[in-house]
């Protein structure tokens, strides 16, 4: 699909990202494509909600991010609202979500513009809450964690009906996770966790995470959760440091919501969406997190190699006892045709016969 309009998210703290942004702008200029910087962090500018950001940028159909995973997530927040695709240029420390090296940015843009790229769709989460989210004044600066000025709390979706027990629907699209965590540094939060409307357990914990399969390799993984293929649809619940209670992850079906209520004797809890603080809950408040109809469209320039990337980026090490066996051979990469009973499987690309 030819690119009509481009939105650019730049990690301004990284000089190479700033220089690569100039390359992208020049490419867009040469092709007569409008290009607007989005989610810019300037001390005098407030950050905008996703919809506002999109309108201001003239509804881009491609969002290019220049930075690491945090910068990619900032672009994804905006792109998912409009079904725009996201191309992540890797200028970060981990780069698990990003696709191309910055030296390949022009080749990548050409490929997208001339139909040489594929789009991979990823599941996202959205949510309802007992009331619209707010960040009490004074708390923002305490909790900002170096991620720039806070985003405004999520807007309320028009389908909300107040006072009927279903809460308000929030305009949220999370690619990684929704996290409810303790606000007081030295006190856990007390939370009731419900899966598909049934109480799983009441927790006293540092936090609870509701993640997508994409987010399973982020905070949920760090808290001991399993890795899920991003090709799956699922809702992953993982508690963080739960005290004397059920401490395992539950992987729920994509149509099974996870609700979390702040218990009456708990302290306040912060709500983070893809690592960004978006609200503070008081005792009695609740959130319900569930699969969103919105998908994130990721630009891919070649076949996805999730497990190769996992081994590579997570620096997975082989057992020392296997050292004598040397490098493992490649598996099922032959020059002969794939047998019919394996034809429906995802397999690595065949070895080039030439
Ligand atoms: N203890 C933890 O690991 C921890 C704590 C808070 C938040 N997080 C994660 O950070 C995410 C926000 O990322 P950020 O870069 O803005 O904050 P950050 O810089 O605190 O990110 C934490 C790390 O997670 C990596 N990461 C992010 N998304 C990933 C994914 N889908 N798969 C694998 N690694 C991933 C980042 O590259 C970074 O190294 C949140 O969605 C949350 O999952 C992790
Ligand atoms: N646009 C920006 N302007 C200024 N500083 C920024 C900007 N984006 C990120 N930073 C700073 O860079 C640091 C890392 O931010 P963030 O985690 O979002 O980056 P990232 O894209 O995930 O890259 P990395 O992989 O290096 O973490 C933070 O201290 C943040 O304040």
């Amino acid at each position: 699909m030819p690119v009509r309009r481009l939105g650019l998210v730049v990690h301004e703290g990284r000089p190479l990202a700033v220089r690569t942004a100039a390359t992208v702008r020049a490419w867009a200029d040469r092709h007569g494509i409008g290009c607007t910087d989005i989610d810019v962090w300037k001390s005098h500018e407030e950050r905008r909600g996703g919809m506002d950001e999109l309108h201001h940028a003239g509804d881009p159909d491609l969002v290019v991010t220049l930075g690491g995973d945090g910068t990619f997530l900032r672009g994804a927040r905006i792109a998912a609202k409009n079904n725009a695709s996201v191309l992540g240029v890797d200028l970060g420390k981990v780069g698990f979500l990003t696709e191309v090296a910055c030296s390949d940015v022009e080749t990548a843009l050409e490929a997208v513009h001339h139909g040489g790229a594929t789009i991979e769709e990823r599941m996202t989460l959205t949510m309802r809450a007992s009331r619209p989210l707010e960040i009490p004044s004074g708390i923002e600066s305490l909790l900002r964690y170096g991620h720039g000025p806070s985003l405004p709390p999520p807007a309320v979706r028009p389908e909300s009906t107040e006072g009927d027990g279903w809460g308000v629907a929030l305009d949220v699209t999370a690619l990684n996770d929704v996290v409810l965590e303790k606000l007081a540094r030295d006190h856990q939060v007390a939370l009731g966790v419900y899966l598909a409307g049934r109480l799983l357990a009441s927790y006293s914990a540092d936090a609870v995470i509701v993640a997508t399969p994409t987010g399973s390799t982020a905070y949920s993984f760090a808290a001991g959760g399993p890795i899920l293929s991003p090709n799956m649809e699922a809702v992953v619940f993982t508690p963080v440091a739960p005290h004397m209670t059920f401490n395992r992850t539950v992987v729920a079906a994509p149509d099974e919501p996870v609700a979390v209520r702040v218990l009456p004797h708990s302290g306040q809890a912060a709500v983070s969406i893809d690592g960004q603080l978006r609200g503070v809950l008081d005792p009695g408040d609740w959130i319900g997190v569930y699969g969103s109809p919105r998908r994130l469209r990721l630009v891919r320039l070649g076949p996805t190699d999730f497990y190769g990337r996992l081994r590579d980026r997570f620096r997975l090490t082989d057992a020392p006892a296997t050292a004598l066996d040397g490098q493992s051979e490649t598996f099922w990469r032959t020059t002969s045709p794939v047998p019919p009973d394996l034809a429906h499987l995802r397999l690595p690309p065949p070895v080039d016969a030439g």
Side-chain angles (χ1 to χ4, degrees):
M1 73 148 198
V3 179
R4 199 183 36 77
R5 199 168 173 86
L6 213 147
L8 195 54
V9 187
V10 186
H11 186 316
E12 303 278 349
R14 199 152 284 162
L16 186 53
V18 175
R19 287 202 297 280
T20 311
T23 309
V24 175
R25 286 189 206 102
W27 179 89
D29 218 30
R30 282 201 303 281
H31 290 75
I33 296 166
C35 176
T36 309
D37 282 38
I38 55 178
D39 201 10
V40 179
W41 296 2
K42 292 262 166 29
S43 52
H44 59 276
E45 262 179 42
E46 300 222 317
R47 289 174 77 190
R48 283 184 277 254
M51 282 301 186
D52 272 4
E53 196 73 72
L54 276 169
H55 294 322
H56 191 254
D59 287 323
D61 51 350
L62 177 69
V63 171
V64 177
T65 69
L66 303 171
D69 292 322
T71 309
F72 183 91
L73 290 166
R74 283 165 53 205
R77 169 181 76 87
I78 296 163
K81 299 243 183 299
N82 197 31
N83 228 12
S85 308
V86 189
L87 172 66
V89 180
D90 185 12
L91 287 147
K93 291 189 286 254
V94 174
F96 202 76
L97 299 168
T98 49
E99 175 70 0
V100 290
C102 76
S103 52
D104 296 333
V105 68
E106 284 178 292
T107 319
L109 289 167
E110 286 294 334
V112 178
H113 195 47
H114 295 111
T118 52
I119 299 296
E120 184 183 309
E121 296 205 342
R122 293 277 176 99
M123 178 189 172
T124 65
L125 296 171
T126 190
M127 60 190 276
R128 281 184 172 250
S130 48
R131 61 178 171 85
L133 296 186
E134 298 169 5
I135 303 175
S137 59
I139 280 184
E140 191 217 310
S141 54
L142 250 176
L143 296 182
R144 214 194 272 162
Y145 308 126
H147 278 87
S150 283
L151 288 165
V156 172
R157 281 190 266 136
E159 62 261 39
S160 288
T161 44
E162 288 226 18
D164 58 5
W166 295 101
V168 290
L170 300 177
D171 188 18
V172 160
T173 320
L175 177 63
N176 263 355
D177 42 34
V178 176
V179 175
L180 203 60
E181 63 190 309
K182 63 180 185 177
L183 199 62
R185 202 186 55 76
D186 50 357
H187 286 290
Q188 295 193 307
V189 270
L191 304 169
V193 174
Y194 299 76
L195 267 86
R198 296 282 177 208
L199 183 68
L200 176 72
S202 294
Y203 285 86
S204 178
D206 280 3
V208 295
I209 305 163
V210 185
T212 61
T214 299
S216 70
T217 47
Y219 197 0
S220 174
F221 172 75
I227 291 175
L228 274 71
S229 163
N231 300 314
M232 288 177 67
E233 304 259 300
V235 181
V236 183
F237 166 74
T238 304
V240 181
H243 194 240
M244 292 198 292
T245 185
F246 182 58
N247 67 351
R248 307 286 281 272
T249 286
V250 179
V251 180
D255 61 354
E256 293 173 341
V258 179
V260 186
R261 188 191 300 279
V262 184
L263 295 177
H265 295 96
S266 171
Q268 290 175 303
V271 182
S272 296
I273 298 165
D274 284 347
Q276 307 269 329
L277 172 72
R278 303 302 297 274
V280 172
L281 299 186
D282 292 319
D285 291 337
W286 57 260
I287 57 169
V289 183
Y290 52 99
S292 162
R294 286 185 180 136
R295 297 268 181 276
L296 183 79
R297 293 163 56 83
L298 252 100
V299 174
R300 289 291 187 220
L301 297 172
T304 311
D305 177 17
F306 173 71
Y307 300 102
R309 178 171 291 217
L310 185 66
R311 180 175 165 86
D312 181 35
R313 303 286 159 99
F314 279 34
R315 303 199 182 158
L316 299 188
T317 45
D318 302 315
T322 67
L324 277 181
D325 298 303
Q327 246 332 343
S328 291
E329 287 172 47
T330 54
F331 193 75
W332 273 351
R333 285 194 75 202
T334 75
T335 49
S336 54
V338 179
D341 63 313
L342 304 183
H344 64 292
L345 302 180
R346 275 175 213 265
L347 294 172
V351 175
D352 194 351

